Amino acid sequence: MTSQSSLETAWILEATVQAAHGADPHWREQLKILRPIAGYDPTAQTWRVRLGALDLAGLHVLQALFDAAHKHGTEVHLAPVAVPESWAGPVFARTAEMATLLETQADQGRPLGQLRLA
């Protein structure tokens, strides 16, 4: 369990994936890939998954998200977010370089999977 004081300096990674169009055959294919690992928001028409560690399981989830987006012509967006009160999993440190990178590079119109590292 994470203490309240550590929640203020912690973050988790939120990945969202645009859904393939509902009338499109890609929707059903994307659904098969993403349903086991992500939640769907019908209002925003996006899939969402949150990760607190980039361990082997987390990397498999990210790879599945990028593969599904690439295959079905949609996009993946990564962003550090505050740890929800209900979160019981691992968290990243707020001062980590990855959080800074994601904060500065998020939503700048870069092609799928391409973030500047400098």
Short mmCIF file of all heavy atoms in Angstrom, two decimals, residues 37 54 113:
data_model
loop_
_atom_site.label_atom_id
_atom_site.label_comp_id
_atom_site.label_asym_id
_atom_site.label_seq_id
_atom_site.Cartn_x
_atom_site.Cartn_y
_atom_site.Cartn_z
N ILE A 37 -6.92 -6.16 -21.93
CA ILE A 37 -5.89 -5.37 -21.24
C ILE A 37 -6.28 -3.93 -20.98
O ILE A 37 -5.57 -3.23 -20.27
CB ILE A 37 -4.56 -5.39 -22.04
CG1 ILE A 37 -4.75 -4.81 -23.44
CG2 ILE A 37 -3.97 -6.77 -22.08
CD1 ILE A 37 -3.45 -4.61 -24.20
N LEU A 54 7.20 -0.63 -15.53
CA LEU A 54 7.55 -1.11 -16.87
C LEU A 54 8.32 -2.41 -16.73
O LEU A 54 9.44 -2.56 -17.20
CB LEU A 54 8.35 -0.06 -17.64
CG LEU A 54 7.55 1.15 -18.07
CD1 LEU A 54 8.41 2.15 -18.82
CD2 LEU A 54 6.35 0.74 -18.92
N GLY A 113 4.74 6.02 -31.59
CA GLY A 113 5.94 5.45 -30.99
C GLY A 113 7.20 6.26 -31.14
O GLY A 113 8.27 5.79 -30.80
#
